[in-house]
């Protein structure tokens, strides 16, 4: 292939430099203008803001998962309470049914109901050591 360079025609194979000369017109250490600094600063802050938003989204998802787990656990405890209430009604002197109710109510934070069931437990069996331990916990959280 041949190309034209003014007066003479030079084959492409012989060309050693580009047709158009380019010059670097800026120095390596250019002081940025105030507009460039503002643009950089705003871009930097926007990036930080996006990172913070992403981190908060992750934290919110984690909290949502924890809430779902706690809700499921609460539902299971309430189902167990229903079962043990039926057992306590069917067998009123069954110490373990009242004790399980006291423990489950304590887990839900129902100290009054837990104390009521615990009193029934200790009425049935005054020497029941686990009942006394639970009673001490209920008394400690009630203060």
């Amino acid at each position: 292939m041949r190309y034209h360079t003014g007066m003479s025609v030079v084959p492409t194979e012989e060309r050693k430099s580009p047709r158009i000369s380019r010059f670097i017109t800026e120095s390596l250490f250019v002081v940025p203008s105030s507009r460039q600094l503002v643009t950089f600063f705003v871009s930097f802050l926007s990036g930080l803001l996006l990172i913070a938003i992403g981190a908060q989204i992750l934290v919110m998802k984690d909290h949502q998962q924890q809430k779902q787990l706690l809700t499921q656990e609460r539902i299971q405890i309430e189902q167990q309470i229903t079962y043990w209430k039926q057992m306590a009604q069917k067998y009123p002197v069954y110490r373990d049914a009242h004790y399980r109710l006291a423990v489950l109510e304590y887990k839900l934070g129902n100290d009054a109901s837990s104390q009521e069931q615990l009193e029934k437990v200790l009425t049935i069996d005054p020497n029941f050591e686990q009942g006394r331990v639970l009673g001490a916990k209920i008394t400690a959280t009630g203060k």
Side-chain angles (χ1 to χ4, degrees):
M1 174 180 224
R2 297 175 156 284
Y3 67 94
H4 186 55
T5 60
M7 295 291 180
S8 64
V9 176
V10 180
T12 306
E13 296 82 26
E14 295 177 19
R15 186 175 60 174
K16 302 287 185 200
S17 63
R19 288 176 61 187
I20 301 173
S21 298
R22 297 183 182 156
F23 295 96
I24 299 174
T25 58
E26 300 173 325
S27 69
L28 295 176
F29 301 103
V30 175
V31 177
S33 68
S34 62
R35 185 177 187 136
Q36 289 173 328
L37 287 175
V38 168
T39 302
F40 173 77
F41 184 69
V42 167
S43 298
F44 181 75
L45 286 180
S46 297
L48 286 178
L49 185 62
L50 287 174
I51 290 171
I53 289 171
Q56 285 301 315
I57 288 172
L58 293 176
V59 168
M60 286 176 51
K61 283 187 176 190
D62 184 47
H63 286 164
Q64 184 179 19
Q65 289 174 347
Q66 289 176 358
K67 181 183 175 188
Q68 288 174 346
L69 290 175
L70 289 173
T71 302
Q72 290 173 354
E73 183 180 349
R74 184 174 186 88
I75 289 170
Q76 289 175 348
I77 290 173
E78 289 172 351
Q79 290 171 347
Q80 291 176 6
I81 287 174
T82 302
Y83 171 78
W84 285 110
K85 278 185 178 179
Q86 291 172 353
M87 288 292 115
Q89 286 176 349
K90 191 172 182 178
Y91 306 103
V93 291
Y94 183 34
R95 178 197 71 187
D96 291 340
H98 293 287
Y99 178 71
R100 289 297 300 157
L101 279 170
V103 169
L104 293 169
E105 291 289 354
Y106 177 74
K107 283 183 178 180
L108 288 181
N110 301 334
D111 290 342
S113 179
S114 180
Q115 185 66 39
E116 179 184 323
Q117 291 299 324
L118 193 57
E119 288 172 5
K120 291 179 184 178
V121 168
L122 294 176
T123 302
I124 296 168
D125 184 2
N127 297 322
F128 187 52
E129 186 61 33
Q130 290 176 333
R132 294 191 183 283
V133 171
L134 181 61
K137 286 182 182 179
I138 293 170
T139 304
T141 59
K143 291 181 180 179

